[in-house]
Amino acid sequence: MAFPQSKPFRSFGPKVIPHGVIDNSEGAVTLGKIDHGVTENPYERRFSPYDFNGGTCVAIAGADYAVIAADTRLSSGYEILSRKMSKLHKLTPKCILGSAGCKTDVDQLRSVLDIKMKVYQHNHRKTMATPAVAQMLGNTLYYKRFFPYYAFNVFGGIDEDGKGAIYSYDAIGSFERTSVTATGSGQAYIIPLLDNVITHRNRTDEKRDLPKEEVIELVKDAFISCGERDIHTGDQVEIAVITKDGIETIMFDLKAD
């Protein structure tokens, strides 16, 4: 005698779903196997040859002088790598290069410029003039336009007539001579102040020529204000004053946090 088959037991407990399977209204969907972040599915990795090490550079031209200043903080992200790293580089006794951006690219750019300056010195038995150095810097940056130096530069000094000469650059060598310029992480905070106080834009009072002593104090105030807003600017500001008599360097302490 055949016994009737009983119905399968139905469990009312929670449904067990195997690892790597998603159960939805359309049925079970199997995912790719995952093992602590290393998957068998295609995934993307990113690499950048550049790092932005922060910093701010400012340059101001006067009637018979040029002032170039930069802070001394070297950082990467939220980490301070050095508090005493100069961003100014003397090219001749009458001109200085200020650079912010990737420290390794800045060092390489300085090395290339120094070599070209020595070659010119040996060939012509004289020091390159400030406008000529400005053009050489633009050409050097342009030669690397397909893989640019991650360096944002201001350049300044005294020209053949004894007047202050300031040049502003982009990353691939386009440049112009101007009376004031700034670059780096704090550029957006300093340029409006310089436009108002130095170049006298959108002002109705009479513009006057500022002596270098007053410009130095304005630069100090500008960096104090910038350091309050920009975490990549701080520690100290190095101020180089270029005149026909040479280069004078002034150090001014900023906040160190």
Side-chain angles (χ1 to χ4, degrees), residues 88-93 95-97 106-122 126-128 133 136-137 140 149 155:
L88 303 184
H89 183 65
K90 178 181 174 182
L91 292 174
T92 74
C95 64
I96 287 179
L97 172 68
V106 169
D107 287 344
Q108 177 65 19
L109 175 61
R110 290 175 177 179
S111 177
V112 170
L113 293 176
D114 286 342
I115 292 171
K116 291 184 176 182
M117 298 293 294
K118 289 180 180 179
V119 171
Y120 184 92
Q121 178 76 31
H122 290 313
K126 66 177 182 179
T127 303
M128 191 180 297
V133 179
M136 182 190 68
L137 174 58
T140 303
Y149 293 114
F155 173 75

Side-chain angles (χ1 to χ4, degrees), residues 227-244:
E228 293 290 336
R229 294 286 183 175
D230 177 32
I231 63 173
H232 303 294
T233 301
D235 297 314
Q236 283 185 313
V237 55
E238 180 182 9
I239 306 172
V241 184
I242 311 170
T243 63
K244 63 180 181 179

Side-chain angles (χ1 to χ4, degrees), residues 189-215:
Y189 305 113
I190 289 186
I191 282 291
L193 175 62
L194 299 182
D195 285 343
N196 181 30
V197 179
I198 305 296
T199 60
H200 229 67
R201 295 183 181 178
N202 301 322
R203 294 181 60 169
T204 57
D205 54 327
E206 183 179 357
K207 182 180 179 181
R208 61 188 180 88
D209 292 332
L210 300 178
K212 62 178 181 294
E213 294 79 11
E214 188 171 347
V215 170

Side-chain angles (χ1 to χ4, degrees), residues 13-104:
K15 185 176 180 180
V16 179
I17 301 176
H19 178 70
V21 176
I22 293 179
D23 191 20
N24 55 30
S25 59
E26 298 180 356
V29 179
T30 303
L31 301 177
K33 186 167 66 175
I34 300 177
D35 182 15
H36 300 291
V38 181
T39 79
E40 295 180 353
N41 296 323
Y43 61 97
E44 181 181 22
R45 290 188 183 272
R46 290 180 179 270
F47 167 76
S48 173
Y50 299 123
D51 185 21
F52 183 66
N53 297 124
T56 304
C57 300
V58 172
I60 302 172
D64 58 352
Y65 65 87
V67 175
I68 301 180
D71 71 302
T72 60
R73 177 173 293 180
L74 181 72
S75 59
S76 179
Y78 294 103
E79 181 180 5
I80 296 177
L81 305 178
S82 175
R83 298 183 185 273
K84 296 181 179 180
M85 186 62 63
S86 176
K87 297 180 177 67
L88 303 184
H89 183 65
K90 178 181 174 182
L91 292 174
T92 74
K94 292 186 177 180
C95 64
I96 287 179
L97 172 68
S99 304
C102 182
K103 181 63 169 61
T104 53

Side-chain angles (χ1 to χ4, degrees), residues 119-164:
V119 171
Y120 184 92
Q121 178 76 31
H122 290 313
N123 289 339
H124 300 279
R125 297 293 189 269
K126 66 177 182 179
T127 303
M128 191 180 297
T130 298
V133 179
Q135 182 65 59
M136 182 190 68
L137 174 58
N139 293 346
T140 303
L141 295 172
Y142 187 71
Y143 290 155
K144 286 276 290 181
R145 63 192 180 276
F146 297 115
F147 191 9
Y149 293 114
Y150 197 53
F152 305 99
N153 305 284
V154 297
F155 173 75
I158 300 297
D159 63 14
E160 299 94 329
D161 300 324
K163 297 180 180 179

